[in-house]
Amino acid sequence: KKIVLLLLLILCSANCLAQSRYISQSTKKIVFSRDGGMCQCCGSYSSLEYDHISPFSCGGSSEVSNIQLRAGLVIEVNQIAAI
């Protein structure tokens, strides 16, 4: 039983390490076009960043469906509010 449990733990760890926060250029182009080049929270066109909707730390992926354009200030305010 211990060996099976250890193998499962190793496989799960390897799967988690395979994920990446990296957002590909093709994903960025699709998201920019889809979001109209503006922040999806405040409508700003400046200081835009690509943001995970479901946080990477909570299992969110870097796929198009989980990325959105957000103004840098909006991201900072949300991070402070989460504290």
Side-chain angles (χ1 to χ4, degrees), residues 14-68:
N15 185 34
C16 291
L17 292 174
Q19 293 182 351
S20 172
R21 291 178 188 261
Y22 174 76
I23 302 170
S24 71
Q25 289 299 318
S26 59
T27 297
K28 288 180 179 181
K29 287 179 182 179
I30 293 168
V31 170
F32 191 88
S33 177
R34 180 198 66 202
D35 291 353
M38 67 179 179
C39 174
Q40 295 304 289
C41 185
C42 69
S44 173
Y45 290 94
S46 61
S47 301
L48 297 175
E49 298 179 22
Y50 293 89
D51 185 45
H52 288 85
I53 298 167
S54 176
F56 180 83
S57 60
C58 296
S61 71
S62 292
E63 296 177 11
V64 171
S65 61
N66 191 48
I67 304 295
Q68 65 182 346

Side-chain angles (χ1 to χ4, degrees), residues 5-19:
L5 185 59
L6 182 60
L7 288 173
L8 279 172
L9 181 61
I10 291 170
L11 288 173
C12 288
S13 297
N15 185 34
C16 291
L17 292 174
Q19 293 182 351

